[in-house]
Amino acid sequence: MRLYLALPLVLAACDDPGRIRTGPEVFRLQGCVTCHGLDGHGTQMAPDLRGVAKLWTREELVKYITNAPEYIKTNERLKEQKKRYSLNMPVYSALRREELENVADYVLALP
Ligand code: HEC
């Protein structure tokens, strides 16, 4: 096999799949970036996440990311906001606890 073909395999092997991802990594790899935009600045598909630290505790945010559709039912502001977007905030129930906390911390720290 030519070297350039083998390189991605070597790189993939170096990246331990069991490793806990950092907040920015989760944001990118789980597709948050696709809807919420680069650095969480918002797109037509999802709201700007800058300044949401005023609205969320870390614990509530982790709960929300784990099951947004359920959470939205109990929150008038989110229910109203949801009407502006055609896609739903997905359910991230398979993420590990540490990764949920990391991505929540990332969102809460957005400048
Ligand atoms: C398919 C598009 C999509 C993806 C992917 C997505 N979101 Fe969302 N997100 C939304 C939409 C739409 C809303 C607005 C829902 C609402 O306000 O009821 C939302 C709302 C939110 C909110 C609440 C904002 C507020 O006003 O309080 C947070 C926080 C959030 N998303 C974080 C994330 C994170 C973190 C990820 C990745 C783990 C993610 N989202 C992935 C579409 C998406």
Side-chain angles (χ1 to χ4, degrees):
M1 202 188 292
R2 292 203 187 110
L3 182 60
Y4 70 87
L5 285 176
L7 198 58
L9 297 175
V10 173
L11 290 175
C14 291
D15 187 22
D16 173 9
R19 185 171 62 81
I20 304 291
R21 308 288 165 174
T22 65
E25 285 171 342
V26 175
F27 200 79
R28 199 161 27 83
L29 295 170
Q30 295 298 323
C32 319
V33 67
T34 312
C35 291
H36 291 284
L38 209 58
D39 301 325
H41 289 190
T43 70
Q44 284 179 347
M45 286 184 288
D48 192 339
L49 297 177
R50 286 172 295 178
V52 296
K54 292 196 296 288
L55 305 165
W56 294 95
T57 63
R58 183 194 208 212
E59 199 45 45
E60 289 297 311
L61 190 51
V62 164
K63 256 195 245 167
Y64 174 75
I65 297 168
T66 314
N67 194 349
E70 270 308 303
Y71 197 102
I72 289 168
K73 286 185 195 162
T74 67
N75 185 305
E76 287 308 318
R77 179 184 69 85
L78 292 171
K79 245 189 254 176
E80 259 323 291
Q81 179 167 256
K82 183 178 188 297
K83 293 178 187 160
R84 297 209 292 270
Y85 303 98
S86 53
L87 293 174
N88 290 327
M89 169 71 192
V91 170
Y92 288 98
S93 52
L95 277 183
R96 278 177 292 188
R97 176 79 204 180
E98 293 92 333
E99 296 187 327
L100 286 164
E101 288 173 354
N102 288 350
V103 79
D105 286 340
Y106 171 73
V107 167
L108 293 173
L110 286 173

